[in-house]
Amino acid sequence: MGIRTGEQYIKGLRSRKPEVWLGGRKIDDVYAEDVFRQPIHEIAKLYDMQHDPEYQDRITHICEETGERVNNSFLVPRKFEDLKARSDLFEIWSKATFGTMGRTPDFLNVTITSMASNTWFLNQYDPQWGENMINYFQHVRDNDVFLTHAIINPQNDRSKASHEQEDAFTHLGVVEEKPDGLVVRGAKMLATLAPITDEVIIYSFPGFQPGDEKHAIAFALPIDTPGLKIMCREPAQDGKRSLFDHPLASRFEEMDALLVFEDVFVPWNRVFINQNVEAANLLYPKTGIGIQPAHQSGVRGLVKLSFAMEVACKLADSIGVDGYLNVKTQLGELIQSVEAIRALLRVSEYEYETTPQGELRPGSAPLETIRGMLPKLYPRAIEIIQTIGAGGLLMSPMGADFDNPELKPIVDKYYVGREGVSSEDRVQLFKLAWDLSGEAFGQRLLQYERYYSGDPLRRLGWFYDGFKRKYDFAMVKDALDGASDMHKKQLIKN
Ligand SMILES: Cc1cc2nc3c(=O)[nH]c(=O)nc-3n(C[C@H](O)[C@H](O)[C@H](O)COP(=O)(O)OP(=O)(O)OC[C@H]3O[C@@H](n4cnc5c(N)ncnc54)[C@H](O)[C@@H]3O)c2cc1C
């Protein structure tokens, strides 16, 4: 089949009955729920872009293996142009959501592509796992499947290993091996967009300890597999608020969910790792799934930071405060943070590494630097928007006030901006800024930037360890050697 349309995606969603729980209520049809409908349409638009002549050649390609047109996120990069083709896709899709949706289908497509092009890793443990992965990749690619993922354990007692938790199946684990597959029980989080996806893939960040064997697994399943409960967090919007009042929250909220597996059956052909602590811990660092999706995240993060920068600049301009030096310096700082991320991204693309298998990976140090810096730069961007918007961010009238003839002259008089900026333009801008910086929606976006890629503190620690292992600190050696030589010569001279 290859690339799907938005309509095909929605039809697929409506044909299934995943067990979705929202606010204590079981949801029969996600599309019929106000909370989900607009986000579904936003994802559908991305699928439609694959058929739009304006974008098609920049976000899709003809698959060499099948002759069908498929998304660029399924391209295994073998040359610089492939990396560029993926980068173009990431940019075009993230601009369509202003970077506010982090788990658009490309993110996990890239992850699966990376796993499938590195099956040498799985084959070391069991060639069947590698074969399953390749078949799964082909299934996702050829049917344009939309995936969610859940890679961390519930946050109960982080001081204890999986096998030490009070209930042996708090963290997802294998209950039973059957002739035709595994039975799994327990929970995983934090599955963003789960209610409106087609399938879920489970794997883990490193961290399993000896004794955790039954938890050390990786597999994929359709999202409507019996026994799989999708428990949604409280929505940040109700799906009914006006687009005028909530221009972002009304459109782009990504629901996050806890996945609870109540003795769920996983057929063998969907198992990628079975009860192997070493394989589960090394999957992330060895198969490129740390780096290849970081390319998507880096591009998306840049788009989101650039969007925040634009909002801040326009906000300041709309009320004529960008002539003040304190405001200018904050905006200048924001523009420079965008430039720093942009530069890192370009360096990562040009300074790619080639694996022994011939796969290109964007430079890991600059991408990891983006991962380390965005959790600081994005919250700072939000702080700048809040500082510049000040009380005005809270004081906007509602769209309905503009429609009331008695109130219209009042809002026009007291909400007009600097010369040339109408009351409506100014209020819309402030509402955009408040959605991004103040609303529950905006706070989630902030928390996403801090944690979507794992704990930034531990990541920085790993980054330092890796750096220390590879870096030769040659200049220190040269400086010491040089000084020592000169010292010896001086001694000889004296
Ligand atoms: C909005 C959002 C969307 C997300 N989407 C997804 C998704 O789609 N799929 C998915 O799988 N995950 C997703 N993530 C989850 C993400 O993977 C985790 O949030 C991240 O890995 C951090 O784990 P945690 O939240 O459980 O925090 P914890 O690991 O519990 O950390 C809590 C605090 O304790 C500290 N801490 C904990 N353990 C240690 C330790 N061993 N050493 C030192 N310090 C420690 C941390 O520094 C942190 O300050 C998402 C997260 C957010 C916020």
Side-chain angles (χ1 to χ4, degrees):
M1 181 172 78
I3 50 171
R4 284 194 295 179
T5 61
E7 200 184 328
Q8 284 169 321
Y9 156 64
I10 293 174
K11 209 170 149 205
L13 277 189
R14 302 199 79 177
S15 70
R16 285 187 296 275
K17 293 259 172 267
E19 195 183 326
V20 178
W21 292 85
L22 177 74
R25 209 160 45 87
K26 199 167 159 189
I27 306 296
D28 282 335
D29 176 2
V30 286
Y31 188 72
E33 287 296 314
D34 294 322
V35 166
F36 297 124
R37 193 173 310 106
Q38 191 54 37
I40 289 173
H41 279 293
E42 299 299 337
I43 297 289
K45 279 183 205 165
L46 303 182
Y47 282 113
D48 279 338
M49 286 167 86
Q50 302 185 119
H51 300 266
D52 182 339
E54 189 182 341
Y55 301 109
Q56 187 168 78
D57 287 340
R58 294 161 67 203
I59 66 175
T60 67
H61 65 283
I62 303 293
C63 174
E64 275 179 22
E65 213 178 310
T66 63
E68 283 181 326
R69 192 171 276 282
V70 299
N71 192 275
N72 280 355
S73 50
F74 298 115
L75 196 60
V76 179
R78 306 246 170 244
K79 49 186 189 309
F80 175 74
E81 288 69 28
D82 297 339
L83 278 184
K84 184 77 182 68
R86 301 220 302 196
S87 189
D88 285 350
L89 160 76
F90 303 150
E91 188 178 333
I92 289 167
W93 266 11
S94 52
K95 278 188 172 163
T97 67
F98 309 102
T100 61
M101 290 181 117
R103 303 302 196 206
T104 47
D106 48 340
F107 178 80
L108 279 159
N109 291 349
V110 170
T111 308
I112 301 286
T113 304
S114 195
M115 280 187 199
S117 62
N118 288 280
T119 45
W120 61 267
F121 169 75
L122 295 174
N123 291 340
Q124 297 176 131
Y125 299 96
D126 186 339
Q128 190 59 53
W129 297 349
E131 195 182 321
N132 292 346
M133 193 64 241
I134 288 174
N135 291 337
Y136 189 62
F137 160 72
Q138 290 169 346
H139 161 74
V140 173
R141 179 193 64 192
D142 299 340
N143 296 290
D144 215 3
V145 171
F146 181 15
L147 289 178
T148 185
H149 73 319
I151 59 179
I152 61 166
N153 296 310
Q155 209 178 27
N156 301 104
D157 186 346
R158 288 280 187 254
S159 70
K160 289 186 179 148
S162 292
H163 71 280
E164 292 167 343
Q165 300 291 319
E166 207 174 310
D167 180 319
F169 289 99
T170 301
H171 295 182
L172 180 69
V174 174
V175 184
E176 191 187 348
E177 273 196 22
K178 288 189 162 183
D180 46 352
L182 299 173
V183 178
V184 295
R185 187 187 301 164
K188 275 276 185 187
M189 63 183 214
L190 196 148
T192 296
L193 285 171
I196 64 168
T197 54
D198 303 309
E199 301 211 5
V200 56
I201 179 159
I202 300 291
Y203 56 96
S204 299
F205 269 142
F208 289 117
Q209 294 176 16
D212 287 336
E213 282 71 19
K214 68 169 174 275
H215 303 284
I217 45 181
F219 61 85
L221 285 173
I223 201 73
D224 58 344
T225 300
L228 172 54
K229 275 190 163 65
I230 301 165
M231 288 191 62
C232 301
R233 63 162 165 78
E234 185 181 359
Q237 47 91 29
D238 62 8
K240 292 181 197 150
R241 293 196 292 183
S242 83
L243 278 159
F244 183 95
D245 290 325
H246 294 284
L248 296 174
S250 304
R251 293 179 63 189
F252 300 114
E253 192 193 354
E254 294 183 301
M255 177 52 76
D256 306 294
L258 176 78
L259 300 184
V260 183
F261 293 78
E262 294 181 323
D263 289 2
V264 171
F265 177 69
V266 188
W268 284 126
N269 66 354
R270 287 296 185 90
V271 173
F272 312 126
I273 293 177
N274 180 23
Q275 303 177 80
N276 188 313
V277 165
E278 185 187 283
N281 281 341
L282 291 177
L283 180 80
Y284 192 81
K286 292 285 182 194
T287 58
I289 61 170
I291 281 304
Q292 297 289 19
H295 189 197
Q296 187 268 4
S297 310
V299 175
R300 186 209 47 79
L302 173 63
V303 169
K304 188 166 158 187
L305 191 65
S306 306
F307 180 55
M309 177 272 286
E310 286 191 21
V311 170
C313 291
K314 293 294 283 182
L315 198 70
D317 172 70
S318 75
I319 51 169
V321 296
D322 66 348
Y324 298 118
L325 184 59
N326 56 316
V327 175
K328 276 190 220 284
T329 55
Q330 291 180 73
L331 295 174
E333 178 190 336
L334 198 38
I335 295 165
Q336 286 184 354
S337 72
V338 168
E339 286 303 301
I341 299 296
R342 197 170 67 79
L344 283 165
L345 196 59
R346 292 298 160 251
V347 170
S348 83
E349 287 167 359
Y350 284 105
E351 295 187 0
Y352 57 80
E353 291 151 23
T354 309
T355 68
Q357 291 76 32
E359 178 188 322
L360 263 55
R361 290 184 184 164
S364 60
L367 280 188
E368 204 53 51
T369 306
I370 294 178
R371 270 181 171 149
M373 287 176 71
L374 267 181
K376 294 176 200 137
L377 296 181
Y378 187 74
R380 175 69 184 134
I382 294 308
E383 187 186 17
I384 289 173
I385 291 174
Q386 289 171 341
T387 311
I388 294 174
L393 287 171
L394 298 159
M395 277 306 300
S396 295
M398 294 176 73
D401 297 330
F402 283 90
D403 300 331
N404 182 314
E406 192 179 335
L407 299 179
K408 178 82 168 53
I410 297 176
V411 289
D412 278 348
K413 177 169 177 189
Y414 296 108
Y415 286 98
V416 69
R418 61 137 177 86
E419 201 180 329
V421 179
S422 73
S423 56
E424 201 163 322
D425 287 348
R426 175 168 116 56
V427 167
Q428 277 188 312
L429 202 49
F430 271 67
K431 283 182 178 286
L432 189 75
W434 185 239
D435 260 7
L436 194 62
S437 67
E439 276 288 316
F441 169 79
Q443 295 308 308
R444 179 197 171 273
L445 292 187
L446 190 102
Q447 199 67 344
Y448 183 87
E449 238 38 71
R450 286 197 178 111
Y451 284 109
Y452 77 87
S453 200
D455 173 17
L457 298 183
R458 274 173 281 167
R459 289 208 79 97
L460 203 49
W462 297 335
F463 176 70
Y464 171 71
D465 290 342
F467 181 83
K468 189 177 168 187
R469 258 197 316 276
K470 283 191 207 152
Y471 202 77
D472 61 5
F473 299 94
M475 284 194 287
V476 173
K477 186 173 179 307
D478 286 351
L480 292 177
D481 288 352
S484 155
D485 282 354
M486 285 165 83
H487 180 64
K488 278 181 207 151
K489 279 178 196 152
Q490 268 171 1
L491 285 179
I492 293 163
K493 240 165 99 186
N494 293 337

